[in-house]
Amino acid sequence: MMSNEQLINTKQKMEDRLIPDHTVGNIYVENARMSARKVNVYYSDKQALDDVNLDIGSSQVIAFIGPSGCGKSTLLRCFNRMNDTIDGCRIEGEIKIDKDDVHDPAIDVVSLRARVGMVFQKPNPFPKSIYDNIAYGPRIHGLAATKVDLDNIVQYALHRAGLWAEVKDRLDKPGTGLSGGQQQRLCIARAIAVSPEVILMDEPCSALDPIATAKIEELIHELREQYTIVIVTHSMQQAARVSDRTAYFHLGKLVEVGETTQVFTNPQHELTQDYITGRFG
Amino acid sequence: MTDTPKGALSPKEAAKYVAGSIAARNRSESWFQFWGRSAIALALAFLILLFVGILSQGIPGMFQHYVILEVELHKDRLDPQGNMSEDSLYAGDAGGLVNEAIMRALDDPQGRKQKRAARSIMSSGSALRLNHFLKDNLDLIGQTVTVKFAVDDDIDSFLRGFITRETPDADRRINNAVIAFVDKLSADGRISYEFSDYLFTGSASRNAEIAGIKGALVGSIWTLLVCILIAFPLGVGTAIYLEEIAPKNRFTEIIEININNLAAVPSVVFGIMGLAIFIVFFGLPRSIPLVGGIVLALMTLPTIIISSRAAIRAVPPSIRDAALGVGASRMQTIFHHVIPLAMPGILTGTIIGMAQALGETAPLLMIGMVAFIVDVPSGMLEPATALPVQIFMWADFAERMFIQKTSAAIIVLLAFLITMNAGAIILRKKLERRW
Amino acid sequence: MSLTSLVLSVLMIGAVYFFMGQRLITRYRSLGKAKAHSLPHYHGLWAALTSILPGLILLVIWSIGDDFLFKQMVKDFYPTEILSMGTMDQAVVRAKIMNVVEGIAFGTPEPWIQAAGEAWISWKSTSDLALTVLAIAVSVGSGFCGYRQINPEFRSRNNVERILLWALALSSMVAILTTLGIVLSVLFESIRFFKLVPPQDFLLGLEWNPQFEGAERAGSGGGTATYGMLPMFVGTFLISAIALFVAVPVGLFASIYLAEYATTRVRAVVKPLLEILAGVPTVVYGFFAALTVAPFVKSVGESMGLEVASESALAAGLVMGVMIIPFISSLSDDVINAVPQALRDAAYGLGSTKSETVRQVVLPAALPGIVAAVILAVSRAIGETMIVVMAAGLAANLSFNPLDAVTTVTSQIVTILVGDQEFESAKTLSAFALALILILITLSLNFLALQVVKKYREQYD
């Protein structure tokens, strides 16, 4: 019979053994759009990410999976510096988009976020009309010189998000009046309207029913040709369905990354294996 | 997606546009922040201005000039009946003794004008002060003692430099003869500038140098006592009834609307109600703390009810279930469990309500607590005034010294209010509960 | 016995019954009889309450009622010609009688007044004696009845709790009674006022001159009192407008900065400081306005070649604005914080700057709440009394110039009602009519604000 203390020590040792110092699998890709090197993130004194290195390939979908609190959303929010809005958050390391460091003082966070769009966990349309929701980004960034240009952008974005047919007759109605799935597609359209290079999606389907989820997944499939997409998801099936690469996070560390088919059929690391076979998480 | 319209920009083009917009947007961002900072700076500047204004007047107002004289405590002249009663002292000649003392100190000036000038240095409250001194020091009777007397407020103003020598004699409130005497007293070391004991022990007076806030302060305390005795049980009782007992129906809705409306009614209207109902209809006397307290209690009731309800609502239902589960009655659940847990919030709201009541003036004016009352009230049925009303009355007097005394009284009032509010904050912090 | 000592005696009797009741039930228990239904202190409370409540109720009714009774009885002494006179003269006569009762003599009163006064004194002493005997008898008697009911089976707790329930329900009635008291007292006197002065003259009149004793101004229409309230309402709105002109931008920008920009530390310092501004009594603001701000405004204005009244609307309005800043800032702080973070994230995610997010997303979403805050601030400015009494003056000028001296509704109410007043004159009654209008305005503003907030809630729920 072990004492409590011994038990904790043993558990600690197991964890130490299990979590690798270096990520299993290939973190590099050929034509990387974004890259993270030696990224550490702290919330006040709590470390949320521990020495993460990862490339995000162009025109690819990469899925971040892992149990709650593993740091996958934290890394996602590093890519467009959304962590800036959180008090007491500190980021170390280097994150690049193309050749530019996102933390470079010469890079404006505004233009970074215009290049790296984001879709959130819960659909969050503005309490404005559908049209104004989409037009908001182009307006603030000055992307449309005329009303016709703006109309075109709105129409294009709604088409791309597969929402045009459903809302074309009520563009002046509030966006909050749409169903949850429609709202989320509206948010995707809103992100597309700014013509970003990368779209970050933070569990975009967690608040939606299966049918709406299927529609979003279909949409992601269509968007991959044109945009680089990073998706955080709790659903392994979803990751398997939509992504080209998959990264598995555990306790703030990037445990394993690789081609989705490879990660799901033949995981290299014990933890990844446990997670995708449903032993925990 | 074959019908996709044109009009979408490539990311490269978009980035160009964004880059072009950034300079102007950052400028407008800076302006916006600038306005925000200016607003805060302005608000804080007002606060500082207010406090600097009050403190710069009020701190000197806590001090005043005294003249130190040797007075003979002549038994027969001070106490002709020999029994130390009020009447006897009143009939006595303390004024004469003080008068002789100042004359002696000034080497017995001759001539009516000179004598009048010498007398004008002394405050008119000097005789009373000598009597008080006698009462406190009965063992010294018959001896010659050194006593501090307040100087007249004009002399005080002169000593503070508000009345200057350069002003022509005819335009000055004190003439050259008086100034010469004051100079002599100063040279002899008989003038002292120290903490004003009149401020806290004196009562209302038209003479600035002997006016004090004691009566008003005691009046305020009586009023607040009545106020809390009425408002606390009624407020907490209403909160308990609405939160824990009453069914949600039309009737309780009316009560809630009423409470919200009462919170919006201007305070002066409560005063009018107090005048019409308690004084005219019920025939209670004017100017008494009882009526003042009732009116203020009705005025602070919404504050107490609203905060008590919030505190009671914050007690989780699980605690009620637990108490009911072991067989406590509903009242036992409320009074043994819910109320003790909600008490910090209730007390915080009560203190804030009392602070509000302490600073309130207008309703008290309506019910006549603005009268000139010299005596310190000894009960809630005696005519009294209150500290803010005293401030209001003093603010009307033109004498320089009254401005300073008013500011000093304001400091005392603010000190009470800040202590009460700080107490509320500490209470909230200390007893804050997390479930 | 005096009322205070009577109340104390009744409470004492109750305390005795409390201990008696408690002892009785413990004795039952020690005798090994059946287990009591309620705890001993509930039995004690039952005995005490049955004794105290009837006693106190009797005391209250009696001491309110006896004056009314005497007022009727004393009329028997009135000579017939006085009975036919108006209520005002009757009040004067009664005051004379009361002087006799209180032993304050102004000259020699008429014989019948002296007689009435002496009769009053004798009634009073009879009544006091009767009350003393009766109150003690009632509380001892009914307490004994309660005491006799006590036995182990008696459900004391339920009975005590029922009384408590009633007490709680009654205390919640006080809010209604207060509202009723306010409305009725103001309404009745206003109706009397409108019998003397036609409502249209009051509501639409352009001149306010209720003839202050000894202060009749030259050219005020030959001494006839006029009661047109428009000058005061113009003055009230002028001062309130100046106040809001200061308070709304400063309060709003301050709250935006605190909610969206300031670090936690700055917020922790600045917010309490702003709250101090809210805790300063209005009489202090009034003093500050009259002593510092008004002379400052005057000297600045005059150095610019403008004519400024020494009690200008501008000075009072500025200080009132400072008073309202924390009111606006804390209310709008609440509504700004209530805007969901998700909306801000959405805007930031699209690349909005902070100010764009605030102006285009947060403020539109918070607008109804901010509007409600401003409406409440207007209501507060209109009802504010001390600042205008001390700094705004009494001249009822119909003027929109902020540099003129104007007067307000509240300062007129105070001026009319402070000090002794004859309750029957149109001048005194006019204060109640003003108060009626004041209540109507503030309550409708409050109602409006509540409606706006309600709409706003629906939008988010």
Side-chain angles (χ1 to χ4, degrees):
Chain A
M1 188 82 189
M2 280 191 287
S3 77
N4 251 356
E5 205 171 317
Q6 280 172 310
L7 201 64
I8 289 166
N9 282 338
T10 316
K11 211 176 153 200
Q12 191 66 48
K13 273 183 202 136
M14 273 177 68
E15 298 260 311
D16 288 346
R17 181 177 57 83
L18 282 173
I19 301 175
D21 281 342
H22 297 288
T23 308
V24 178
N26 188 7
I27 58 166
Y28 304 105
V29 292
E30 267 173 36
N31 51 346
R33 167 113 302 153
M34 299 196 79
S35 63
R37 292 289 176 269
K38 295 190 170 169
V39 172
N40 289 290
V41 179
Y42 305 86
Y43 293 124
S44 306
D45 47 352
K46 189 181 155 286
Q47 188 163 13
L49 275 184
D50 185 1
D51 198 26
V52 171
N53 297 285
L54 184 65
D55 277 358
I56 311 285
S58 305
S59 301
Q60 250 193 353
V61 178
I62 180 166
F64 291 179
I65 59 170
S68 300
C70 66
K72 53 193 192 303
S73 286
T74 304
L75 180 63
L76 188 79
R77 293 169 71 96
C78 285
F79 285 130
N80 71 342
R81 285 176 59 186
M82 277 302 279
N83 284 328
D84 289 13
T85 60
I86 297 170
D87 273 347
C89 179
R90 192 157 50 83
I91 299 166
E92 289 167 2
E94 183 187 68
I95 295 170
K96 279 188 169 169
I97 175 162
D98 295 333
K99 293 283 164 283
D100 308 322
D101 186 345
V102 302
H103 289 108
D104 184 346
I107 298 264
D108 200 291
V109 66
V110 165
S111 60
L112 170 70
R113 286 180 190 155
R115 290 168 75 183
V116 184
M118 188 158 190
V119 176
F120 297 85
Q121 196 167 353
K122 250 181 79 188
N124 54 357
F126 299 125
K128 299 171 190 264
S129 71
I130 292 171
Y131 183 93
D132 286 337
N133 260 286
I134 311 286
Y136 177 77
R139 271 191 192 131
I140 56 169
H141 294 305
L143 300 187
T146 63
K147 174 83 173 103
V148 179
D149 285 353
L150 192 61
D151 286 350
N152 277 336
I153 294 177
V154 170
Q155 207 175 335
Y156 169 78
L158 285 171
H159 268 292
R160 286 304 268 138
L163 202 58
W164 175 252
E166 291 161 65
V167 302
K168 64 172 184 241
D169 297 327
R170 44 172 177 156
L171 289 176
D172 55 343
K173 295 281 173 339
T176 43
L178 298 172
S179 74
Q182 288 174 322
Q183 286 190 10
Q184 195 62 302
R185 278 183 284 150
L186 180 69
C187 293
I188 294 176
R190 191 172 61 187
I192 291 171
V194 191
S195 299
E197 296 165 30
V198 182
I199 300 176
L200 309 175
M201 296 187 177
D202 191 357
E203 300 183 35
C205 302
S206 65
L208 304 181
D209 62 52
I211 295 171
T213 304
K215 278 198 175 147
I216 303 272
E217 286 180 7
E218 199 181 315
L219 179 56
I220 294 172
H221 216 74
E222 283 163 9
L223 294 174
R224 67 171 2 135
E225 299 157 17
Q226 201 177 340
Y227 305 100
T228 303
I229 296 174
V230 186
I231 178 168
V232 166
T233 177
H234 258 128
S235 152
M236 274 168 292
Q237 289 87 339
Q238 186 172 61
R241 282 193 299 263
V242 301
S243 68
D244 303 309
R245 290 171 79 218
T246 297
Y248 174 70
F249 290 79
H250 189 92
L251 292 175
K253 294 200 186 211
L254 175 54
V255 175
E256 179 166 358
V257 62
E259 297 297 317
T260 300
T261 41
Q262 181 259 314
V263 170
F264 278 94
T265 52
N266 184 21
Q268 303 294 305
H269 197 277
E270 208 176 331
L271 278 167
T272 321
Q273 208 170 355
D274 286 353
Y275 184 70
I276 60 174
T277 53
R279 296 262 294 273
F280 67 87
Chain B
M1 288 292 150
T2 45
D3 56 343
T4 305
K6 292 209 173 82
L9 301 160
S10 74
K12 281 238 155 59
E13 284 175 292
K16 216 163 66 200
Y17 280 113
V18 173
S21 74
I22 279 180
R25 288 163 71 190
N26 282 348
R27 236 180 354 260
S28 96
E29 173 73 24
S30 317
W31 272 109
F32 195 73
Q33 285 197 34
F34 169 77
W35 288 118
R37 285 211 189 89
S38 315
I40 289 187
L42 200 61
L44 294 185
F46 283 134
L47 182 71
I48 291 169
L49 204 65
L50 183 70
F51 272 78
V52 167
I54 303 282
L55 289 177
S56 68
Q57 297 281 348
I59 290 175
M62 299 206 156
F63 295 84
Q64 69 184 76
H65 288 92
Y66 291 91
V67 54
I68 299 160
L69 297 176
E70 290 85 32
V71 193
E72 193 194 349
L73 290 182
H74 198 288
K75 182 163 174 26
D76 296 337
R77 286 177 65 189
L78 281 169
D79 183 20
Q81 294 165 24
N83 54 7
M84 292 303 292
S85 63
E86 285 292 327
D87 281 345
S88 167
L89 289 176
Y90 188 76
D93 188 26
L97 288 171
V98 174
N99 202 13
E100 284 161 24
I102 182 75
M103 295 304 167
R104 257 201 316 281
L106 293 170
D107 302 332
D108 291 314
Q110 296 303 311
R112 234 157 44 109
K113 266 198 179 151
Q114 290 284 315
K115 279 190 171 153
R116 200 170 59 209
R119 269 199 302 275
S120 77
I121 290 173
M122 303 302 294
S123 159
S124 55
S126 299
L128 202 59
R129 191 178 176 89
L130 186 63
N131 281 335
H132 283 302
F133 180 86
L134 178 68
K135 271 194 200 162
D136 294 342
N137 301 285
L138 283 174
D139 50 325
L140 295 179
I141 204 153
Q143 301 178 24
T144 297
V145 293
T146 309
V147 185
K148 251 176 15 190
F149 295 99
V151 298
D152 186 71
D153 61 335
D154 283 336
I155 312 297
D156 191 270
S157 292
F158 168 73
L159 287 165
R160 288 172 197 263
F162 297 136
I163 297 176
T164 56
R165 290 166 205 272
E166 285 73 38
T167 320
D169 192 44
D171 302 344
R172 224 191 285 121
R173 283 182 66 96
I174 55 176
N175 60 31
N176 286 334
V178 178
I179 289 182
F181 284 147
V182 174
D183 287 343
K184 173 165 169 47
L185 289 172
S186 291
D188 294 349
R190 287 183 183 277
I191 299 282
S192 77
Y193 178 64
E194 50 194 281
F195 190 78
S196 164
D197 53 358
Y198 278 112
L199 183 65
F200 288 100
T201 57
S203 271
S205 170
R206 297 261 181 238
N207 295 316
E209 73 276 5
I210 58 168
I213 57 169
K214 188 177 175 191
L217 201 58
V218 175
S220 268
I221 290 169
W222 279 117
T223 311
L224 274 195
L225 191 70
V226 175
C227 179
I228 196 167
L229 284 179
I230 294 172
F232 185 73
L234 281 184
V236 178
T238 307
I240 294 173
Y241 184 72
L242 290 178
E243 281 300 318
E244 298 284 325
I245 296 167
K248 295 276 168 280
N249 58 20
R250 188 99 197 100
F251 177 69
T252 43
E253 203 178 312
I254 289 174
I255 297 180
E256 283 179 31
I257 292 172
N258 259 307
I259 292 167
N260 276 331
N261 283 344
L262 281 183
V265 169
S267 62
V268 68
V269 171
F270 282 94
I272 292 181
M273 179 203 63
L275 173 67
I277 291 186
F278 298 111
I279 293 177
V280 176
F281 187 71
F282 283 133
L284 288 169
R286 277 168 184 282
S287 313
I288 58 170
L290 179 66
V291 179
I294 294 174
V295 168
L296 292 182
L298 296 180
M299 198 193 77
T300 49
L301 211 47
T303 311
I304 298 180
I305 294 174
I306 290 167
S307 56
S308 303
R309 288 187 70 181
I312 292 173
R313 214 176 302 141
V315 177
S318 59
I319 293 195
R320 293 176 186 84
D321 294 345
L324 292 171
V326 296
S329 72
R330 187 163 59 168
M331 288 294 169
Q332 286 171 327
T333 307
I334 294 171
F335 284 94
H336 295 174
H337 300 279
V338 178
I339 296 306
L341 290 174
M343 212 27 118
I346 294 175
L347 287 182
T348 308
T350 308
I351 296 176
I352 288 170
M354 288 303 117
Q356 218 178 327
L358 177 60
E360 199 54 70
T361 320
L364 300 183
L365 298 183
M366 297 286 94
I367 56 152
M369 287 184 80
V370 66
F372 186 82
I373 291 148
V374 181
D375 294 326
V376 175
S378 60
M380 53 186 75
L381 290 171
E382 284 187 27
T385 183
L387 196 46
V389 182
Q390 181 84 76
I391 290 167
F392 169 66
M393 287 191 286
W394 279 358
D396 242 14
F397 295 144
E399 283 93 341
R400 179 84 214 189
M401 201 171 173
F402 261 123
I403 294 176
Q404 295 186 326
K405 277 250 161 124
T406 311
S407 303
I410 287 175
I411 292 178
V412 175
L413 179 63
L414 287 179
F416 270 99
L417 289 177
I418 289 174
T419 315
M420 287 168 88
N421 282 310
I425 291 169
I426 291 169
L427 198 68
R428 193 163 49 193
K429 283 257 159 67
K430 204 164 185 178
L431 300 175
E432 209 167 48
R433 211 175 276 268
R434 300 237 175 271
W435 282 289
Chain C
M1 247 193 269
S2 78
L3 203 58
T4 326
S5 46
L6 258 183
V7 170
L8 285 178
S9 333
V10 169
L11 291 179
M12 288 275 283
I13 294 169
V16 170
Y17 273 118
F18 176 80
F19 290 112
M20 280 169 61
Q22 223 174 0
R23 251 188 59 196
L24 181 66
I25 204 72
T26 359
R27 187 130 28 90
Y28 270 116
R29 198 171 6 182
S30 62
L31 286 174
K33 295 240 172 108
K35 185 177 172 292
H37 169 270
S38 307
L39 292 171
H41 71 266
Y42 281 109
H43 291 284
L45 272 176
W46 170 250
L49 286 175
T50 48
S51 130
I52 291 172
L53 289 180
L56 285 188
I57 291 169
L58 177 79
L59 280 179
V60 169
I61 293 176
W62 192 292
S63 50
I64 291 173
D66 63 353
D67 258 16
F68 285 92
L69 188 67
F70 297 162
K71 272 179 199 164
Q72 289 307 313
M73 284 163 65
V74 84
K75 285 196 176 148
D76 294 345
F77 285 86
Y78 287 13
T80 36
E81 68 268 20
I82 291 191
L83 279 174
S84 60
M85 287 196 311
T87 41
M88 177 180 165
D89 298 280
Q90 293 208 1
V92 172
V93 167
R94 199 156 55 236
K96 284 185 187 162
I97 297 173
M98 287 321 286
N99 281 343
V100 176
V101 174
E102 312 256 323
I104 312 163
F106 295 108
T108 359
E110 292 153 66
W112 70 269
I113 286 182
Q114 183 72 38
E118 278 158 13
W120 188 300
I121 294 173
S122 78
W123 296 332
K124 183 82 192 154
S125 62
T126 318
S127 145
D128 281 354
L129 187 67
L131 179 59
T132 307
V133 173
L134 219 59
I136 291 178
V138 163
S139 54
V140 170
S142 74
F144 187 68
C145 293
Y147 177 74
R148 283 286 299 275
Q149 282 176 298
I150 294 174
N151 66 56
E153 283 85 49
F154 184 65
R155 300 178 165 236
S156 288
R157 200 198 67 229
N158 304 41
N159 287 310
V160 169
E161 286 183 351
R162 199 166 309 127
I163 294 173
L164 198 58
L165 183 70
W166 275 102
L168 294 178
L170 281 178
S171 68
S172 75
M173 296 293 294
V174 171
I176 293 184
L177 287 180
T178 310
T179 311
L180 217 60
I182 289 176
V183 171
L184 290 185
S185 62
V186 171
L187 201 62
F188 275 129
E189 309 294 337
S190 299
I191 289 171
R192 282 164 71 188
F193 173 74
F194 288 127
K195 279 185 189 149
L196 299 170
V197 178
Q200 65 271 20
D201 287 6
F202 176 70
L203 291 172
L204 303 172
L206 296 178
E207 208 176 316
W208 175 264
N209 179 27
Q211 271 191 303
F212 296 115
E213 294 100 316
E216 271 167 284
R217 282 174 206 81
S220 63
T224 43
T226 48
Y227 294 97
M229 66 166 206
L230 280 184
M232 278 171 315
F233 273 79
V234 170
T236 306
F237 284 106
L238 182 62
I239 291 181
S240 305
I242 297 169
L244 290 175
F245 195 73
V246 175
V248 172
V250 175
L252 199 54
F253 266 104
S255 66
I256 289 171
Y257 191 84
L258 286 181
E260 301 286 336
Y261 287 95
T263 59
T264 327
R265 217 164 23 171
V266 170
R267 217 176 131 81
V269 175
V270 174
K271 265 196 99 169
L273 283 179
L274 286 184
E275 276 166 20
I276 291 182
L277 222 40
V280 172
T282 53
V283 68
V284 177
Y285 280 114
F287 180 68
F288 184 63
L291 192 79
T292 314
V293 179
F296 176 74
V297 167
K298 188 175 163 71
S299 68
V300 168
E302 277 169 354
S303 72
M304 285 158 56
L306 297 167
E307 199 175 307
V308 185
S310 55
E311 292 180 322
S312 61
L314 186 59
L318 282 177
V319 174
M320 197 189 279
V322 174
M323 185 194 85
I324 295 176
I325 289 172
F327 189 74
I328 299 247
S329 73
S330 74
L331 282 182
S332 27
D333 193 54
D334 289 348
V335 288
I336 287 172
N337 281 325
V339 174
Q341 182 62 31
L343 286 184
R344 292 188 183 88
D345 283 349
Y348 290 139
L350 287 169
S352 297
T353 63
K354 229 166 187 178
S355 67
E356 282 162 354
T357 308
V358 171
R359 273 182 291 151
Q360 294 162 5
V361 176
V362 176
L363 285 187
L367 193 63
I370 292 172
V371 169
V374 172
I375 294 174
L376 289 178
V378 173
S379 155
R380 163 131 337 173
I382 290 174
E384 168 48 37
T385 309
M386 292 320 292
I387 294 178
V388 288
V389 167
M390 295 170 83
L394 296 170
N397 297 324
L398 185 61
S399 166
F400 288 97
N401 180 357
L403 301 179
D404 278 351
V406 294
T407 190
T408 70
V409 177
T410 47
S411 68
Q412 285 302 319
I413 292 176
V414 169
T415 318
I416 292 170
L417 289 185
V418 165
D420 295 323
Q421 64 280 122
E422 326 147 44
F423 229 74
E424 307 294 318
S425 72
K427 182 186 145 194
T428 307
L429 292 176
S430 70
F432 287 87
L434 288 176
L436 178 67
I437 305 287
L438 187 65
I439 293 172
L440 288 180
I441 291 177
T442 49
L443 286 191
S444 26
L445 286 174
N446 191 38
F447 179 75
L448 194 65
L450 281 181
Q451 290 305 310
V452 174
V453 168
K454 220 178 185 178
K455 265 242 163 81
Y456 170 71
R457 287 236 180 86
E458 279 163 7
Q459 193 194 330
Y460 273 100
D461 286 342

